[in-house]
Amino acid sequence: AGVKEAVSTMGTAVSIEQLTAASKSARRLGASVVICLDNDEAGHAAVLRLCTGSQPMLLDVSRNFNVEIYVATLPKGIKDPAEYIEVYQEEEEEEELDKRFRSDVIARSVEWTEWYTSKLIDKHNASSVSSEERNTFSEVFEEVADFLTVFETEEIRSKTAKMIAPKLADLSNTSNIGNQLETAEALRIRIKTDLLER
């Protein structure tokens, strides 16, 4: 498809060796690593495994090699990068297909921490989950607060909490947890402060 800097993991079990090799190459090029796995449960579960634990693999690799790691999401209805190519290759010349993939997928990727916390929040919002299985706001808040503990410095915890707070504020509003008199900005600040204190 013309995306020359792409490699395949040959399955969804991404290893530390694969991430290390990709990170070393990215660092040499002054670039980032973008993970784009299958757009299904198995692919999402594989990325979640890289984001979780007391020492998430993505945190270790990004810190050890000083590279930013992003997660890309394929358009709805597209199972994997190969299917993306199949769907659009008849419409585009190779050069244009490369540009399209970069703008549709790579350019829309988000930092792994943002992707992961969005997944935590989705556990509360997901329409596919029954109300009995759906996490409460306080459960989501606790999971996010626990996640922040993996970061060693206050600066990174604060930056991550600031990024997550608006999403949690939106969630608290939809759950009618926020004080009606509290402005959206005040609620975001309170949630960020509460996350950091927790």
Side-chain angles (χ1 to χ4, degrees):
V3 182
K4 304 278 193 287
E5 47 298 69
V7 294
S8 173
T9 60
M10 300 301 288
T12 55
V14 181
S15 70
I16 187 71
E17 292 81 13
Q18 290 168 325
L19 282 172
T20 297
S23 298
K24 284 179 178 178
S25 294
R27 187 179 62 190
R28 257 194 327 273
L29 297 168
S32 305
V33 173
V34 179
I35 298 170
C36 182
L37 297 182
D38 289 1
N39 195 18
D40 59 15
E41 256 185 67
H44 296 170
V47 180
L48 283 169
R49 281 193 297 276
L50 300 173
C51 299
T52 56
S54 59
Q55 274 308 114
M57 196 183 302
L58 293 183
L59 177 63
D60 273 352
V61 171
S62 64
R63 187 173 47 214
N64 290 342
F65 297 99
N66 196 28
V67 294
E68 292 178 336
I69 299 178
Y70 294 85
V71 178
T73 303
L74 291 160
K76 194 172 183 176
I78 303 285
K79 181 195 178 299
D80 56 28
E83 187 173 285
Y84 181 96
I85 301 310
E86 288 168 17
V87 168
Y88 294 109
Q89 69 184 354
E90 290 181 13
E91 298 175 25
E92 309 279 3
E93 296 293 323
E94 183 177 295
E95 204 174 280
E96 294 304 311
L97 187 55
D98 170 21
K99 288 179 187 170
R100 185 175 194 152
F101 187 83
R102 289 176 190 279
S103 66
D104 282 0
V105 180
I106 297 172
R108 294 180 180 178
S109 62
V110 296
E111 279 190 65
W112 73 273
T113 53
E114 183 176 349
W115 182 89
Y116 177 63
T117 53
S118 292
K119 288 294 177 197
L120 292 178
I121 290 167
D122 285 349
K123 285 200 271 184
H124 178 80
N125 280 339
S127 57
S128 59
V129 177
S130 71
S131 55
E132 296 83 39
E133 296 174 304
R134 202 171 291 150
N135 285 2
T136 64
F137 175 82
S138 59
E139 287 170 328
V140 173
F141 180 90
E142 287 299 316
E143 282 190 82
V144 171
D146 286 345
F147 173 62
L148 289 179
T149 65
V150 303
F151 299 104
E152 292 176 346
T153 68
E154 178 65 31
E155 180 186 348
I156 297 173
R157 281 195 298 273
S158 183
K159 176 187 164 202
T160 308
K162 184 176 182 180
M163 178 265 297
I164 299 166
K167 294 176 185 180
L168 284 173
D170 290 344
L171 189 62
S172 75
N173 281 334
T174 60
S175 303
N176 295 320
I177 291 166
N179 180 341
Q180 296 290 340
L181 301 175
E182 193 168 28
T183 67
E185 183 59 26
L187 181 59
R188 284 194 286 274
I189 292 168
R190 181 168 59 85
I191 287 174
K192 177 190 169 193
T193 303
D194 290 350
L195 277 172
L196 292 171
E197 284 177 0
R198 165 61 180 82

